[in-house]
Amino acid sequence: MIEQTLLQAGIRSIAGVDEAGRGPCAGPLVVAAVILLDPFSPALSQVKDSKELTESKREELFDVVLNNSSSYSIIEISADEIDQYGLHKCNIEGMRRAVNGLSQTPEYVLTDGYAIPGLTVPNLSVWKGDQVAISISAASILAKVYRDRIMIELDKQYPNYGFASHKGYITALHTDSIRKHGVLPIHRKSFSNISALLG
């Protein structure tokens, strides 16, 4: 585990960063950063990449992660911002905002797949980081659960679109709903499937 190497080098405060919602054509991109009190705590033994967990297990572990962190930060980037600046740029900026939003300055930052330029703190992008670094796995759970909760709320606001089930991803049901009921303000108009439906 990467954290083990860092701790052995005397680095105590390690932030993990990950996002949820790069792929969907509706809803925000959510980025979370978290500093765990002890990455090797038995309380965190079930924490792993959010994609490998059921929805109910993620919900359960969300509070476990919060209770075992010294600091965390969760930020949202709207569909409008994604349309204006592009997904990749928003993802990098979101990671920067999430790290800067921590109440405690980390000594080291681990990210899933992308380095964060412009950070004053040393940071390392880890290939498949949400599978090999528990700090990134913990951040992935925070981001995913937080985003899913947003999409469930949006489902109440826009009941004809099925957001509670597909969470804004491009499914046949979602595409059919857009054709029937139109494109919403929360849709990412720069995404090819949405621009095609608008066109």
Side-chain angles (χ1 to χ4, degrees):
M1 198 181 282
I2 294 164
E3 284 95 342
Q4 183 78 56
T5 308
L6 293 171
L7 289 166
Q8 284 169 349
I11 295 166
R12 290 278 165 267
S13 176
I14 304 160
V17 187
D18 202 5
E19 47 68 28
R22 279 176 66 87
C25 62
L29 177 70
V30 172
V31 187
V34 63
I35 300 172
L36 298 171
L37 289 163
D38 173 12
F40 303 102
S41 166
L44 298 169
S45 62
Q46 291 183 293
V47 169
K48 55 183 174 181
D49 175 13
S50 65
K51 292 185 284 295
E52 295 177 25
L53 299 164
T54 63
E55 192 166 347
S56 60
K57 179 54 78 175
R58 284 195 299 264
E59 279 284 348
E60 181 188 317
L61 288 171
F62 184 88
D63 291 328
V64 171
V65 170
L66 295 189
N67 293 336
N68 286 275
S69 68
S70 57
S71 180
Y72 73 92
S73 164
I74 304 172
I75 66 106
E76 295 172 45
I77 293 179
S78 69
D80 283 344
E81 202 171 341
I82 292 166
D83 288 341
Q84 193 173 348
Y85 299 107
L87 183 63
H88 182 67
K89 190 173 179 182
C90 284
N91 192 34
I92 301 297
E93 174 60 24
M95 291 197 288
R96 229 185 338 255
R97 282 187 212 169
V99 172
N100 291 332
L102 291 164
S103 59
Q104 173 189 346
T105 304
E107 294 171 77
Y108 209 93
V109 176
L110 298 173
T111 65
D112 183 28
Y114 300 99
I116 314 175
L119 269 194
T120 54
V121 181
N123 66 101
L124 177 70
S125 64
V126 183
W127 175 248
K128 295 194 181 295
D130 48 11
Q131 295 171 26
V132 297
I134 192 161
S135 301
I136 299 175
S137 300
S140 82
I141 289 168
L142 295 188
K144 175 68 175 152
V145 171
Y146 190 92
R147 187 180 188 279
D148 281 358
R149 289 174 181 176
I150 289 171
M151 298 313 294
I152 289 163
E153 284 306 306
L154 286 170
D155 185 70
K156 295 172 189 171
Q157 196 175 336
Y158 304 109
N160 297 318
Y161 290 79
F163 291 126
S165 62
H166 56 65
K167 307 297 192 292
Y169 281 88
I170 303 160
T171 63
L173 168 72
H174 191 180
T175 303
D176 190 46
S177 301
I178 300 167
R179 285 202 182 102
K180 281 182 186 166
H181 307 288
V183 173
L184 296 168
I186 61 163
H187 279 114
R188 302 175 185 179
K189 294 158 192 70
S190 55
F191 275 41
S192 58
N193 68 316
I194 302 297
S195 62
L197 288 164
L198 282 168

